[in-house]
Amino acid sequence: MHDATLAQAIARFAARARYEDLPLAVTASVRQRVLDTLGICIAAQSLDSSQAVIDYVAEQGGAPQARAIGVPHRVPAALAAFGNGVLAHSLDYDDTHLPSVLHPSATIVPSVLAAAERAGTDGRTAVTAIAVGLEVCVRIGMAGYDRQAGNSVFFEHGQHATSICGALGAAVAVGVVLGQDEAQLTSSLGVAASMAAGIIEANRTGGNVKRLHCGWAAHSAVTAADLVSRGITGPPTVLEGRFGFFEAFLRGEFDPAAILEGLGTEWEVPRIFFKPYPANHFTHAAIDAATALRRRGVDHRAVRSLTLGVPAPVIRTIGEPIDGKRRPATGYQAQFSGPYAVAVGLLGGGGGLGVGLDDYTDELAAAPMRREIMDKVSVVADDECTRIFPDQFPAVLTAELVDGSAVTERVLVNRGGPQHPLSDDEVELKFRDNAGRHLPETAVARIAARVLALDELSDVGVALSALDDVAAIEYSVTTTAQEGDL
């Protein structure tokens, strides 16, 4: 592939991808990621930001092509991708790839499902497209990771790699659904690069705009591929060119080998980490370490201070400004707080896979007992954790007790990754816990059965049909309530 530009090499890989050639680990992983993503989307309907997006999508009109979760009628595919992409990322419960440090499924899965439902695509084609999109997304993300600096260059520039790289990977994936050839796939990537965006200042100082990022990326992906199918073209040197993607976003700092080496033979897809907890992934090891302290008999009332050691690059996300992280104003802000993660672990979670959505509410974020614990937590750089990062997001938690003793727990491998994977039952349990918040058990079971047999479906839309009646009920209830508030 080295005789081509980077975009052309990616397009060649995508055009040649065949379901029959995919490793079993890849197809199994894709099915699980579709199930995981749909469950998160369904659960996210209850958020105020989700309702705003659902209402927006419902009011836009247009061709009835695909389902947007929560909307009672079909909408244009790009709008369906937008709505579902927003929901998929809104709970911070979506999967993570390392070392690209991005969340690929929240953009790729909604984009492909929308395009596939519109086209009446079979399950094998959809699985292939999702696998290709995930692979392209994370490899572009890895190309922007600086090993020497120990962080994503995207992140250093204030950019949200999840949505930026997601738009590119998803555009290629939608191109696969549309049956585009190499030239068209190159252009789909090239056009999407001019539509990729996302800044992450909201992680620091508030605002829920980050929830929109994967939705806009998915909308851009479907739009870009659709326009290319109608004759719009993009530059073949869009990635490495003098005025290309990597120059524009990363000032030319990128590793082309991360894209090219093993492309098509060594798959990253099965290495993507599932999230067991609905919070920023940097906080997960803190939850597990605090949980381990609790299981060893450490009572939070007997603790004088807590020191959370983490990789140096993650402190700005979960430990700064420390006063703000000790006083999250909302459940959403608590998802990005290292001190809150420690409090959750010490007190014990109430659902999901040990810690669930009900543990991240506005009320609990302000609960006096949790704030008392958070006041005791300092977040510091730990050398061992920094060396391991970004292949894991580790944590070392030390509790100094009032009797003068100290207890330490080290969590150096994340639950949900290849070295500590979730079982098939745990992935399905997470889906059932999420989807069961809005769907009856019969619908939950039907969706799970169809998605886990996605390869066998002649029409991807069949997997989503169980959502229709519930979407109409949810939307009707919400609309009536809003009208009553006027």
Side-chain angles (χ1 to χ4, degrees), residues 29-215:
S29 182
V30 167
R31 290 191 296 270
Q32 288 186 322
R33 294 184 197 287
V34 174
L35 187 70
D36 188 46
T37 302
L38 286 176
I40 296 166
C41 289
I42 294 165
Q45 291 177 88
S46 57
L47 298 173
D48 290 343
S49 56
S50 297
Q51 286 302 319
V53 167
I54 289 168
D55 289 345
Y56 170 82
V57 170
E59 291 175 358
Q60 296 311 297
Q65 297 172 336
R67 294 173 176 88
I69 292 173
V71 177
H73 52 268
R74 298 192 192 194
V75 299
L79 276 173
F82 168 67
N84 294 339
V86 172
L87 270 58
H89 193 54
S90 288
L91 294 173
D92 280 280
Y93 215 172
D94 44 324
D95 56 18
T96 307
H97 178 264
L98 308 178
S100 62
V101 197
L102 53 74
H103 310 287
S105 291
T107 296
I108 309 302
V109 171
S111 301
V112 170
L113 290 184
E117 184 176 8
R118 175 183 61 186
T121 303
D122 65 88
R124 290 191 169 197
T125 300
V127 168
T128 304
I130 291 169
V132 167
L134 293 171
E135 193 73 14
V136 171
C137 174
V138 301
R139 282 176 174 270
I140 292 174
M142 287 193 297
Y145 185 82
D146 186 339
R147 285 274 181 184
Q148 186 173 358
N151 204 7
S152 168
V153 183
F154 290 102
F155 193 92
E156 288 292 336
H157 293 180
Q159 299 159 349
H160 194 191
T162 291
S163 56
I164 293 167
C165 301
L168 274 63
V172 175
V174 173
V176 171
V177 171
L178 298 178
Q180 292 181 344
D181 60 24
E182 287 185 31
Q184 290 174 309
L185 288 164
T186 301
S187 282
S188 286
L189 195 154
V191 173
S194 285
M195 305 167 75
I199 58 174
I200 52 175
E201 181 63 13
N203 277 5
R204 293 185 64 254
T205 56
N208 58 17
V209 64
K210 176 175 168 288
R211 291 175 172 173
L212 298 182
H213 288 180
C214 289

Side-chain angles (χ1 to χ4, degrees), residues 305-360:
S305 66
L306 292 146
T307 302
L308 177 63
V310 298
V314 314
I315 292 178
R316 73 187 79 182
T317 301
I318 69 170
E320 294 178 350
I322 188 60
D323 290 342
K325 297 303 180 180
R326 288 172 176 161
R327 286 288 184 275
T330 64
Y332 182 61
Q333 290 181 15
Q335 291 174 305
F336 297 86
S337 166
Y340 189 85
V342 172
V344 171
L346 280 179
L347 293 174
L353 297 178
V355 171
L357 292 169
D358 293 336
D359 296 304
Y360 289 88

Side-chain angles (χ1 to χ4, degrees), residues 436-476:
R437 295 170 181 272
H438 290 272
L439 297 178
E441 176 55 32
T442 52
V444 172
R446 191 157 66 248
I447 294 171
R450 289 172 179 173
V451 170
L452 292 175
L454 188 61
D455 322 51
E456 302 170 16
L457 297 181
S458 59
D459 184 343
V460 168
V462 172
L464 304 178
S465 61
L467 297 169
D468 290 344
D469 292 341
V470 177
I473 294 171
E474 291 277 348
Y475 188 76
S476 174

Side-chain angles (χ1 to χ4, degrees), residues 1-14 140 182-183 185-187 189-190 234-242 244 246 254 256-257 259-260 263:
M1 292 186 182
H2 296 271
D3 59 335
T5 69
L6 292 176
Q8 289 168 337
I10 289 171
R12 188 177 304 171
F13 153 69
I140 292 174
E182 287 185 31
L185 288 164
T186 301
S187 282
L189 195 154
T237 54
V238 64
L239 294 179
E240 72 271 40
R242 171 63 181 85
F246 286 120
F254 73 101
I259 296 174
L260 296 175
L263 183 62

Side-chain angles (χ1 to χ4, degrees), residues 200-285:
I200 52 175
E201 181 63 13
N203 277 5
R204 293 185 64 254
T205 56
N208 58 17
V209 64
K210 176 175 168 288
R211 291 175 172 173
L212 298 182
H213 288 180
C214 289
W216 281 126
H219 186 281
S220 297
V222 175
T223 302
D226 282 353
L227 289 171
V228 168
S229 290
R230 289 163 172 79
I232 301 298
T233 58
T237 54
V238 64
L239 294 179
E240 72 271 40
R242 171 63 181 85
F243 301 110
F245 175 85
F246 286 120
E247 182 64 34
F249 282 92
L250 306 184
R251 301 167 196 162
E253 302 174 47
F254 73 101
D255 177 15
I259 296 174
L260 296 175
E261 288 187 1
L263 183 62
T265 57
E266 299 174 14
W267 288 83
E268 290 292 323
V269 172
R271 301 185 185 121
I272 301 170
F273 289 53
F274 284 100
K275 273 191 177 182
Y277 314 127
N280 180 274
H281 222 143
F282 292 162
T283 69
H284 284 210

